[in-house]
Amino acid sequence: MTTGEESSPLRIGTAERTAAMKALDEHLAAGRLGVEEYADRSAVAANAVVASELAELFTDLPEPHPKLPGTASTAPLTAPLPVVAPPGEVATQRGGFLDGWGPRLVSVTPFLAVALFLITRQWYFFLLIPAMGALVYGGGVGRKDDDRDRDERRRERNQRRRDRR
């Protein structure tokens, strides 16, 4: 093979486009993509011709990524970076217990409330349901950071769109 052939983009087929769509579906279900952004990326994935077009869709997303020909060595690492505080400050890890277990607790709460009601015949156990929802999904101190992150991602996405044109 000559060097000109090695640098030419690799064409993809239906299997790669389908894999990309499935990966985007998982990111939508995980809440990493909004509906609008999902629609934009899905349209790009459906019309992609070369592997680099699909790889571009996943540069800012963690796994899962579709397996694409010729992109294994050029794909960026998406592992989370360690939390390092500036000198003199204490490092804090974002997230907490409720990030992983919160949705599970919310789904169990109605069953727990019904069981406690049947045992004690006290209606106020049903208040656990909205209380748990507010605790897990309600706004809190960390939400401002999430809003800033979302706004920053939106600006980056709009910049990429302008760059493509």
Side-chain angles (χ1 to χ4, degrees):
M1 234 185 223
T2 65
T3 56
E5 291 174 355
E6 291 174 11
S7 64
S8 65
L10 291 175
R11 296 182 67 87
I12 56 166
T14 305
E16 289 85 3
R17 286 186 207 93
T18 302
M21 297 294 285
K22 287 181 181 177
L24 288 172
D25 289 345
E26 290 185 35
H27 289 296
L28 175 67
R32 292 183 195 104
L33 295 176
V35 175
E36 229 177 86
E37 186 174 8
Y38 169 78
D40 292 344
R41 291 184 188 216
S42 295
V44 171
N47 296 316
V49 176
V50 293
S52 60
E53 291 175 325
L54 289 183
E56 240 177 61
L57 298 175
F58 296 93
T59 57
D60 61 340
L61 294 170
E63 290 291 331
H65 292 179
K67 302 296 182 232
L68 300 173
T71 59
S73 62
T74 60
L77 297 177
T78 57
L81 297 174
V83 177
V84 178
E89 292 185 24
V90 177
T92 57
Q93 182 73 28
R94 286 188 65 191
F97 172 76
L98 290 180
D99 286 347
W101 283 91
R104 293 179 182 125
L105 292 174
V106 169
S107 64
V108 170
T109 302
F111 299 107
L112 178 64
V114 169
L116 290 172
F117 171 74
L118 292 174
I119 292 170
T120 64
R121 299 288 183 206
Q122 300 294 322
W123 65 269
Y124 53 81
F125 285 110
F126 288 107
L127 294 176
L128 284 172
I129 299 169
M132 186 60 72
L135 177 69
V136 172
Y137 296 115
V141 176
R143 295 295 179 182
K144 290 182 182 177
D145 291 337
D146 293 341
D147 291 343
R148 269 189 246 124
D149 291 344
R150 185 181 62 237
D151 292 342
E152 185 177 329
R153 286 191 310 267
R154 183 177 293 133
R155 281 192 295 274
E156 289 172 359
R157 183 179 68 238
N158 290 338
Q159 183 62 39
R160 284 194 308 268
R161 287 180 186 158
R162 282 192 292 270
D163 291 345
R164 276 189 232 148
R165 294 179 191 159

